[in-house]
Amino acid sequence: MQPIRVKLNEVVWRIRFVKSTAISKRADGTIDWPPGRHPTITIRDSLKGRVRLEVILHECIHGSLPLLDEQAVTDSARWISQALWKVGYRCP
């Protein structure tokens, strides 16, 4: 799958979905911080459903609001993913 490009906080990021072996065992998603020449968000491709949505949101919040602490990012991603799920949004 080709990387998806998104603009967050005036930076164009590549979102890549990768096999589990290409990402740390302790992470479902990562973000290059600080963003380098090719800012990339990496998401474990085996994630499905609301968990996948939450991880995408989590990493996008990091890219959009880098000054937020980890707990604020985690809570925000959880709350937004729950709201989107309730209104019928689904990830492939």
Side-chain angles (χ1 to χ4, degrees):
M1 172 188 254
Q2 291 284 21
I4 299 162
R5 286 178 167 46
V6 297
K7 193 171 190 178
L8 305 170
N9 197 16
E10 300 304 317
V11 176
V12 176
W13 294 85
R14 296 181 306 171
I15 299 179
R16 296 178 52 233
F17 293 90
V18 299
K19 295 183 183 213
S20 293
T21 56
I23 193 169
S24 168
K25 292 178 182 179
R26 299 182 322 196
D28 288 329
T30 61
I31 187 168
D32 293 343
W33 201 260
R37 186 172 166 181
H38 300 288
T40 303
I41 293 170
T42 305
I43 307 290
R44 186 181 304 276
D45 71 355
S46 61
L47 299 177
K48 303 294 180 214
R50 199 181 67 74
V51 172
R52 181 180 180 117
L53 175 61
E54 187 172 326
V55 172
I56 293 168
L57 287 167
H58 182 102
E59 300 308 332
C60 286
I61 292 168
H62 273 306
S64 299
L65 301 164
L67 298 180
L68 284 182
D69 65 45
E70 186 66 22
Q71 191 61 55
V73 171
T74 297
D75 291 344
S76 297
R78 183 178 319 111
W79 298 329
I80 295 167
S81 70
Q82 288 171 349
L84 289 172
W85 204 256
K86 282 185 179 183
V87 300
Y89 182 81
R90 299 294 184 261
C91 279

